[in-house]
């Protein structure tokens, strides 16, 4: 389908329905992300609208002479379309923007936002069949904090020189196996039974309860003491759950640690490579990204 340029802001707003894949920075609240995107969209729409204002056919005031230059300025204005007269044509309240599934304050990465009519359509689909999200979680060993993140007060210190990569990998494999066993237990079947095999053949097993976190995969991808990075595939997880998980892993390794970074690299079919960066949070970038995400569905 060929693309064409649209200069009418009303036409743009009419077709502003769907999903966008935004890269959320760490340390930024969801509400601030939404307001920044909506502010830039409305700013660009108002600029498009200002270009379509026609000059008045009849002068409102007769132009004055050299002694009265103010009348000459009023002569070139259309007071019926002046912002101070009628206000901005497009404001942030006119466009709905809701996250399909939110990210925490300390988490960066893929954030899926629904715009206007795309909110209800896609949010119901995500709630009916939740998608797996993949994370890169970086853990710093040596000291623990109150809220398991680096911006909190330090509580405990410990040595970490005895920790090896193979010990972390073994612990991650053990956690993954326990969560897989837990999924079958929630379904009421034995892991070694024929029913479990038939259940696995049907596809990915998802918990019925939307508040039950389940880890599908956890593995070590980088080890550079005092830091190591885990790749975690999970569902129904939260930022606090992931931070508490790596804190417990550090204790199992006979040391302490805290979560220094959480980065969401994938949410279902949406990947971080196609996320809209902050410099692209404008009308043109949102429309382009929305078109790209439609191809992923």
């Amino acid at each position: 389908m060929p693309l064409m340029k649209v200069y009418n802001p009303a036409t743009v707003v009419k077709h502003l329905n769907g999903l966008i894949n935004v890269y959320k920075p760490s340390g930024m609240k969801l509400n601030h992300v939404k307001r920044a995107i909506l502010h830039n969209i409305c700013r660009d729409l108002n600029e498009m609208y200002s270009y379509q204002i026609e000059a008045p056919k009849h002068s409102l005031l007769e132009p004055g002479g050299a002694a009265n230059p103010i009348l000459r300025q009023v002569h070139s204005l259309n007071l019926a379309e002046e912002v101070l007269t009628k206000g901005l044509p497009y404001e942030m309240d006119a466009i709905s923007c809701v996250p399909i599934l939110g990210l925490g304050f300390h988490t960066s990465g893929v954030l899926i936002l629904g715009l206007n009519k795309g909110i209800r359509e896609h949010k119901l689909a995500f709630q009916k069949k939740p998608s797996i999200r993949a994370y890169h979680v970086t853990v710093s060993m040596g000291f623990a904090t109150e809220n398991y993140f680096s911006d909190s007060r330090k509580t405990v210190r410990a040595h970490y020189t005895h920790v090896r990569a193979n010990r972390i990998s073994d612990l991650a494999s053990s956690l993954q196996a326990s969560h897989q066993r837990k999924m079958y237990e929630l379904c009421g079947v034995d892991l070694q039974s024929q029913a479990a095999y038939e259940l696995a053949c049907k596809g990915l097993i998802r918990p019925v309860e939307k508040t039950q976190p389940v880890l599908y995969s956890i593995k070590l991808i980088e080890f550079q003491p005092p830091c190591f990075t885990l790749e975690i595939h999970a569902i129904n997880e939260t930022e606090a759950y992931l931070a508490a998980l790596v804190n417990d892993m550090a204790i199992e390794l006979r040391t302490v640690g805290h979560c220094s970074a959480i980065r969401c690299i994938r949410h279902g079919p949406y990947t971080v490579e196609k996320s809209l960066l902050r410099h692209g949070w404008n009308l043109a970038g949102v429309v382009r990204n929305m078109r790209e995400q439609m191809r992923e569905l």
Side-chain angles (χ1 to χ4, degrees):
M1 181 178 178
L3 298 178
M4 64 178 182
K5 292 184 178 180
V6 179
Y7 299 96
N8 186 1
T11 305
V12 177
V13 174
K14 182 180 178 181
H15 293 85
L16 206 61
N17 305 303
L19 296 180
I20 56 175
N21 180 2
V22 178
Y23 188 90
K24 175 192 171 297
S26 176
M28 191 173 187
K29 295 182 179 180
L30 278 179
N31 190 38
H32 294 168
V33 175
K34 289 165 40 181
R35 290 185 63 85
I37 294 175
L38 292 178
H39 175 269
N40 293 341
I41 290 176
C42 294
R43 178 200 62 197
D44 295 343
L45 288 172
N46 291 328
E47 289 179 359
M48 292 177 64
Y49 183 83
S50 63
Y51 292 140
Q52 296 199 346
I53 299 177
E54 298 181 358
K57 297 180 180 179
H58 304 285
S59 59
L60 300 177
L61 294 174
E62 291 293 333
N68 195 359
I70 298 178
L71 291 179
R72 291 186 179 275
Q73 296 177 8
V74 174
H75 171 69
S76 61
L77 295 177
N78 186 356
L79 297 181
E81 299 292 347
E82 185 65 24
V83 175
L84 298 178
T85 305
K86 60 180 295 186
L88 294 172
Y90 296 98
E91 297 183 352
M92 291 189 291
D93 296 338
I95 302 175
S96 300
C97 179
V98 175
I100 300 300
L101 196 60
L103 293 178
F105 177 76
H106 300 90
T107 306
S108 63
V110 177
L111 175 64
I112 308 300
L113 297 176
L115 295 178
N116 294 333
K117 295 180 181 179
I119 298 174
R120 179 177 177 83
E121 177 183 353
H122 296 284
K123 195 167 186 178
L124 290 176
F126 273 87
Q127 290 177 351
K128 184 178 180 181
K129 189 177 181 181
S131 300
I132 295 178
R133 292 202 286 189
Y135 295 89
H136 283 175
V137 181
T138 303
V139 185
S140 295
M141 299 179 291
F143 64 89
T145 61
E146 286 184 339
N147 65 350
Y148 310 138
F149 290 99
S150 56
D151 60 349
S152 180
R153 186 174 66 89
K154 299 177 183 179
T155 56
V156 183
R157 290 183 180 273
H159 294 287
Y160 57 86
T161 53
H162 61 279
V163 178
R164 297 291 183 265
N166 58 347
R167 180 69 182 94
I168 301 176
S169 298
D170 293 342
L171 179 59
S173 300
S174 176
L175 285 173
Q176 178 178 330
S178 64
H179 274 261
Q180 290 177 350
R181 191 181 307 108
K182 184 179 180 181
M183 285 188 291
Y184 287 96
E185 291 176 356
L186 292 174
C187 296
V189 297
D190 185 9
L191 185 61
Q192 304 296 331
S193 63
Q194 178 67 21
Y197 173 77
E198 294 176 355
L199 188 63
C201 291
K202 293 180 180 180
L204 193 65
I205 303 175
R206 292 178 170 85
V208 178
E209 297 182 4
K210 305 301 181 182
T211 58
Q212 180 66 46
V214 174
L215 301 181
Y216 290 94
S217 174
I218 176 171
K219 62 181 179 180
L220 178 70
I221 60 174
E222 185 179 3
F223 180 70
Q224 294 182 353
C227 300
F228 63 89
T229 302
L230 300 170
E231 182 174 318
I232 300 176
H233 297 250
I235 196 171
N236 296 337
E237 80 295 334
T238 61
E239 179 184 86
Y241 175 80
L242 295 177
L245 175 68
V246 298
N247 177 76
D248 294 340
M249 288 183 65
I251 295 175
E252 288 291 333
L253 296 170
R254 297 186 179 182
T255 183
V256 293
H258 65 279
C259 184
S260 59
I262 301 179
R263 182 169 177 254
C264 180
I265 61 171
R266 184 171 62 84
H267 184 176
Y270 308 102
T271 59
V272 70
E273 289 80 12
K274 295 186 179 180
S275 293
L276 188 63
L277 299 180
R278 193 167 184 175
H279 63 78
W281 292 359
N282 49 50
L283 181 59
V286 166
V287 172
R288 189 182 306 110
N289 186 267
M290 186 182 302
R291 185 179 180 86
E292 292 178 355
Q293 305 316 314
M294 290 177 62
R295 300 170 185 169
E296 300 293 335
L297 296 177

